[in-house]
Amino acid sequence: MSPLNIQSGSTSHSAYDLRDPHAEVIEQHTLAVVVDNESGVLARVIGLFSGRGYNIESLTVAEVDHEGHRSRITIVTRGTPQVIVQIKAQLFRMVPVHEVHDLTVDGPSVQRELALFKVAGKGDHRIEALRLAEIFRANVVDSTLESFVFEMTGTPEKIDAFAELMRPLGLREIARTGVAALSRGA
Amino acid sequence: MVVEALREQGVDVVFGYPGGAVLPIYDEIFQQNDIRHILVRHEQGAVHMAEGYARSTGKPGVVLVTSGPGATNAVTGLTDALMDSIPLVVLTGQVPTFMIGTDGFQEADTVGITRPCTKHNWLVKDTDKLSEVIHQAFHVATKGRPGPVLIDIPKDVQFATGEYTPMPKAKVTHYQPRVKGDMEAITRMVEMMETAERPLFYTGGGVINSGPAASQLLREFVAATGFPITSTLMGLGAYPASGENWLGMLGMHGLYEANLAMHGCDLMLNIGARFDDRITGRIADFSPNSRKVHVDIDASSLNKVIRADVPILGDVGHVLEDALRLWKARGRKLNKAGLAKWWKQINEWRAVKCLTYKNSATVIKPQYALERLEALTKGMDRYITTEVGQHQMWAAQFLGFEDPNRWMTSGGLGTMGYGLPASIGVQVAHPEALVINVAGEASWLMNMQEMGTAMQFRAPVKQFILNNERLGMVRQWQELLHGERYSQSWSESLPDFVKLAEAFGCKGIQCKDPKDLDDAIMEMIKYDGPVIFDCLVEKHENCFPMIPSGKPHNEMLLGEADTKGAIGSKGAVLV
Ligand SMILES: Cc1ncc(C[n+]2csc(CCOP(=O)(O)OP(=O)(O)O)c2C)c(N)n1
Ligand SMILES: [Mg+2]
């Protein structure tokens, strides 16, 4: 596999980067959307973003209430303030959408992402990778004589930083889950 | 089960076309008499008929079509209804659940294809859920901003017997859009109305969708305040065209006085319109000196295109009622001096008489044809539908609408082929009324097969075709924007419309001399049955006034003399 070309702040790699380059201030917002867990609901949400030219920086989804058939979608998106308001209004008018929270404006929140890194190397590189993993509190979840798979949970920025450091040490692959987020406090 | 649920929802007519995947439902339809089925000739026609039915009654239109091609043929109609906020419930057949995903015969991913062109859609895989979903579908289609919904029903689900959930027991979803506007915002709106020097009501289809009470409140509000009022294409009829304060339609082909009032007002009261690009022209120069109030039931319409100073989320009818009550309670205050000056200015604009055209003694001008149609049908129990093109804009300019729900046109999507089927849908809902489709010859051909439907179901619709042998609106743009290079905008090899009428078994009339026009129109009206009226009109007439794409309201073209070099290359990329 070719060495990964990870730009700094890789989260700005969007699946749908259709932003108007001339738009005014671009802000990043994290939205939590509670939806009915019915078939097609994710396609509906993604279709909204692609159809109207909004960005998805990252998106995670899983059922959070089995009895109530509710899933929570966490979307990190970017856009001008006007576009962000539009996105929220467009989401909220969808029939299976129950709640839309803008964690970025609602107050402090915690944001976490899980990532797996495959790092291959020998000798000093291997030792250095292990040492850095310890500093970053990454766990080794697989190892061979020539490689490690590290597991790490943290903010997207922390994951970016770790990836930067691993690159010269033999970074081969990364898998990231995208952001899950909750507001702080009760 | 399906028919039972429709009956409980008060459905009296379904527009549809059968096929393998809906045979069980058609079997149910065969065995009952409560619900009438109108057999169309193409599924697009069924959806437009349901739109015409819905728009003219305020009730949701219902469509039943088969899987695969039946469903894909319905897509244009669904998109049209979504853009114009028309409530529809569309039922599609689907291959049996165990065959979904196998590329079965006449299988299409209907919910996937229609997801972006419906307000919501469902694939029902369990017969026990079917009736409940149908009840939910009616709820979603009609509540909040109305729109089309679709239910995809696999054939095995249709065959199986299941538990029927009656309407009152059905879980209506949490979907309950708010109708009451925020009182604080309404108070700000009223305060602004009390002091405004140059206020203007700018109303849209939302007033019609809100129901007759909203139109009534609007009329009362306009009469009490004396404010001028203009409306979008979709909102015509909410305020009567004969009303004193009426400025006519606004927008790209709107009236001079309406557009200049938009440009010059200091308070814009947007009631149920959505700042469409046909209305705003160049955004940066849109009504630069006004404060804007925007009332809309759809939060995503607020601040989407134009920033509102006072956005009010709510149903137009409720908000108007609260605002009117509050304004009266606060002592009916107005800036009388400002208003008087404002009207003086508006009357100067009116004096320009922007709809003036050069008439002819030898050829029928399309504007003249519509003036005569208006004069001869005024006061009748009349409904108008249109196709899309120049004729549509002339109809909006020259016909007067006194009441809501009397004007059906494809506004948002601009769908050629809408008018003929829509006229049939209107006629089915109002069998005794005079229903006229003002058409262009090219648009009309797009769904002309539906004349068969009109004949079969004795819908005496009048097809008033302004035949300029051109894709007139395209030709006008080519003249103004593309150096008069008329690429593919000629309607060649047209059928003989009179013979075509005979072939369908209805009446055909052709008229080409202005002197014969009145008699011919009367003949059309009096004939007890469908008529195809081939009105041969001036071929190269342009539709004015016109705000060229990318221009602000105050740079409007009033006539031929204004057009030279009017549209720059920047405007040409806009549509
Ligand atoms: C389905 C569809 N295809 C193409 C167009 C683009 N279009 C808009 S108006 C027009 C010409 C319409 O011609 P006609 O119906 O004869 O009306 P006229 O403008 O001549 O009055 C065309 C091709 C459209 N609106 N809808
Ligand atoms: Mg034509």
Side-chain angles (χ1 to χ4, degrees):
Chain A
M1 210 181 179
S2 63
L4 278 174
N5 177 22
I6 304 164
Q7 297 179 349
S8 66
S10 62
T11 47
S12 72
H13 262 295
S14 162
Y16 298 104
D17 203 346
L18 301 171
R19 267 171 287 155
D20 174 8
H22 306 298
E24 339 128 48
V25 258
I26 302 285
E27 297 174 353
Q28 178 166 308
H29 285 239
T30 305
L31 309 178
V33 188
V34 178
V35 298
D36 284 324
N37 184 16
E38 61 182 30
S39 78
V41 65
L42 187 59
R44 229 175 266 287
V45 169
I46 291 175
L48 168 71
F49 277 76
S50 62
R52 293 188 184 261
Y54 306 142
N55 288 286
I56 299 177
E57 305 280 318
S58 108
L59 184 147
T60 61
V61 57
E63 190 173 70
V64 290
D65 173 2
H66 186 68
E67 250 113 78
H69 284 287
R70 297 288 159 78
S71 292
R72 183 177 172 111
I73 303 177
T74 308
I75 306 170
V76 180
T77 184
R78 286 166 72 82
T80 61
Q82 193 190 4
V83 166
I84 300 285
V85 171
Q86 259 297 299
I87 291 174
K88 288 186 275 187
Q90 293 285 356
L91 282 169
F92 192 64
R93 75 174 180 148
M94 298 179 119
V95 175
V97 170
H98 290 253
E99 298 165 34
V100 178
H101 302 284
D102 186 336
L103 297 175
T104 306
V105 300
D106 286 356
S109 63
V110 278
Q111 310 214 357
R112 287 294 180 274
E113 188 176 0
L114 185 140
L116 298 172
F117 305 79
K118 184 175 283 178
V119 181
K122 287 187 177 162
D124 287 352
H125 277 179
R126 211 170 140 77
I127 293 160
E128 181 64 4
L130 258 184
R131 201 181 66 81
L132 286 168
E134 213 163 293
I135 296 171
F136 274 77
R137 289 195 211 136
N139 301 320
V140 177
V141 289
D142 176 67
S143 76
T144 67
L145 292 175
E146 278 121 49
S147 70
F148 291 117
V149 174
F150 296 113
E151 172 208 49
M152 193 173 87
T153 309
T155 61
E157 293 72 28
K158 183 176 168 189
I159 290 167
D160 288 347
F162 188 66
E164 272 313 301
L165 291 171
M166 284 302 115
R167 194 185 318 181
L169 301 177
L171 181 61
R172 290 289 145 83
E173 273 183 82
I174 300 184
R176 304 174 66 147
T177 58
V179 173
L182 283 179
S183 61
R184 285 181 190 273
Chain B
M1 168 102 59
V2 170
V3 169
E4 181 56 35
L6 296 181
R7 201 184 288 128
E8 215 189 332
Q9 287 287 344
V11 174
D12 55 2
V13 58
V14 169
F15 302 92
Y17 206 82
V22 279
L23 285 179
I25 301 176
Y26 271 89
D27 212 28
E28 279 190 70
I29 285 180
F30 188 82
Q31 300 174 43
Q32 56 85 49
N33 284 319
D34 298 338
I35 298 177
R36 197 168 169 218
H37 180 274
I38 305 291
L39 176 69
V40 300
R41 300 300 186 263
H42 184 294
E43 289 86 351
Q44 185 188 351
V47 186
H48 292 324
M49 282 181 212
E51 287 186 89
Y53 176 93
R55 192 91 188 152
S56 67
T57 59
K59 297 199 291 184
V62 181
V63 174
L64 172 60
V65 297
T66 194
S67 65
T72 54
N73 274 348
V75 165
T76 301
L78 287 169
T79 312
D80 191 90
L82 185 72
M83 291 286 268
D84 285 344
S85 309
I86 314 284
L88 299 183
V89 175
V90 177
L91 308 171
T92 53
Q94 182 55 279
V95 300
T97 40
F98 54 86
M99 277 179 69
I100 289 178
T102 63
D103 296 326
F105 177 63
Q106 296 197 325
E107 178 180 358
D109 175 10
T110 301
V111 285
I113 292 169
T114 61
R115 201 171 282 131
C117 60
T118 53
K119 185 173 170 189
H120 194 62
N121 63 17
W122 295 261
L123 169 64
V124 180
K125 288 187 176 164
D126 177 356
T127 309
D128 284 339
K129 298 241 170 77
L130 183 54
S131 51
E132 185 168 60
V133 168
I134 294 175
H135 295 313
Q136 285 175 0
F138 277 87
H139 176 81
V140 170
T142 52
K143 291 289 173 304
R145 180 174 177 175
V149 300
L150 180 143
I151 310 171
D152 202 24
I153 316 173
K155 195 170 180 182
D156 54 335
V157 174
Q158 298 172 33
F159 262 126
T161 46
E163 187 98 14
Y164 181 79
T165 313
M167 187 162 72
K169 290 235 178 81
K171 263 192 279 150
V172 270
T173 57
H174 71 285
Y175 182 78
Q176 301 289 357
R178 92 183 245 183
V179 291
K180 278 288 202 191
D182 173 36
M183 243 5 247
E184 215 169 288
I186 293 175
T187 309
R188 283 185 62 205
M189 161 178 169
V190 170
E191 282 166 4
M192 288 177 171
M193 292 175 74
E194 289 168 347
T195 55
E197 285 177 19
R198 303 184 307 280
L200 177 67
F201 279 107
Y202 148 45
T203 61
V207 184
I208 314 265
N209 277 336
S210 178
S215 294
Q216 205 44 51
L217 283 160
L218 178 71
R219 289 163 188 222
E220 204 184 312
F221 218 165
V222 171
T225 56
F227 290 0
I229 172 167
T230 176
S231 153
T232 66
L233 183 72
M234 296 309 293
L236 297 178
Y239 183 82
S242 59
E244 245 178 85
N245 299 23
W246 177 237
L247 303 188
M249 178 179 77
L250 80 161
M252 183 176 265
H253 291 289
L255 271 69
Y256 183 71
E257 48 269 43
N259 283 329
L260 285 197
M262 284 290 276
H263 192 79
C265 65
D266 71 344
L267 175 63
M268 182 182 293
L269 300 161
N270 174 342
I271 314 289
R274 60 185 178 91
F275 293 115
D276 177 81
D277 58 79
R278 301 288 101 159
I279 299 304
T280 58
R282 191 199 297 164
I283 299 279
D285 298 313
F286 176 68
S287 192
N289 301 314
S290 62
R291 287 179 299 169
K292 299 171 186 75
V293 176
H294 187 182
V295 183
D296 205 300
I297 194 145
D298 179 1
S300 73
S301 286
L302 301 171
N303 290 320
K304 178 174 67 177
V305 182
I306 299 289
R307 227 187 57 74
D309 300 278
V310 183
I312 302 178
L313 179 63
D315 169 61
V316 164
H318 285 85
V319 174
L320 282 176
E321 191 179 0
D322 287 341
L324 183 58
R325 192 179 330 105
L326 184 67
W327 176 75
K328 284 180 181 165
R330 288 167 56 107
R332 299 168 173 260
K333 280 180 256 165
L334 289 172
N335 181 340
K336 294 229 169 73
L339 264 177
K341 252 171 83 191
W342 181 222
W343 271 111
K344 192 162 159 286
Q345 168 70 73
I346 288 173
N347 285 330
E348 278 168 30
W349 290 330
R350 275 177 166 172
V352 168
K353 298 213 176 308
C354 67
L355 293 183
T356 312
Y357 61 94
K358 216 171 8 20
N359 211 347
S360 155
T362 49
V363 278
I364 301 175
K365 290 287 186 138
Q367 301 95 323
Y368 178 71
L370 287 165
E371 266 179 359
R372 295 317 303 156
L373 186 71
E374 168 74 357
L376 295 170
T377 61
K378 209 172 182 60
M380 291 184 180
D381 180 14
R382 181 189 80 176
Y383 292 83
I384 301 284
T385 69
T386 77
E387 302 288 346
V388 171
Q390 291 179 315
H391 63 276
Q392 176 190 27
M393 293 299 114
W394 281 316
Q397 293 172 343
F398 287 89
L399 302 181
F401 298 94
E402 296 299 312
D403 292 299
N405 305 98
R406 297 262 167 183
W407 162 249
M408 305 357 96
T409 193
S410 171
L413 196 62
T415 311
M416 291 172 69
Y418 166 88
L420 165 50
S423 70
I424 297 172
V426 174
Q427 190 84 75
V428 165
H430 309 276
E432 305 301 326
L434 172 65
V435 183
I436 304 172
N437 174 30
V438 176
E441 78 297 336
S443 299
W444 192 83
L445 289 176
M446 285 211 173
N447 273 324
M448 69 159 192
Q449 75 285 349
E450 300 304 334
M451 281 314 286
T453 310
M455 287 305 296
Q456 183 182 342
F457 295 92
R458 298 176 202 281
V461 289
K462 314 302 180 200
Q463 303 300 317
F464 192 68
I465 303 175
L466 296 174
N467 183 354
N468 52 11
E469 297 175 24
R470 299 290 182 279
L471 310 181
M473 190 57 95
V474 173
R475 191 207 57 73
Q476 175 167 347
W477 280 57
Q478 289 171 334
E479 179 182 330
L480 301 180
L481 281 140
H482 295 272
E484 300 181 47
R485 291 179 296 281
Y486 297 128
S487 179
Q488 308 297 322
S489 58
W490 300 62
S491 290
E492 303 260 10
S493 306
L494 285 169
D496 178 329
F497 286 99
V498 174
K499 283 206 185 119
L500 192 63
E502 281 164 19
F504 276 112
C506 64
K507 186 176 183 63
I509 301 173
Q510 189 185 65
C511 185
K512 53 179 174 229
D513 189 329
K515 286 190 280 305
D516 303 331
L517 186 59
D518 278 23
D519 288 345
I521 290 176
M522 287 316 292
E523 191 185 350
M524 170 180 89
I525 297 169
K526 288 206 179 112
Y527 181 73
D528 182 18
V531 176
I532 301 176
F533 190 115
D534 183 17
C535 188
L536 299 179
V537 298
E538 168 72 51
K539 299 184 199 319
H540 277 211
E541 192 72 14
N542 283 333
C543 185
F544 291 112
M546 175 177 184
I547 303 175
S549 297
K551 294 276 182 178
H553 282 170
N554 58 346
E555 291 182 38
M556 194 180 320
L557 311 178
L558 282 175
E560 302 292 344
D562 283 346
T563 60
K564 297 282 170 274
I567 304 177
S569 53
K570 264 212 185 127
V573 302
L574 302 170
V575 287

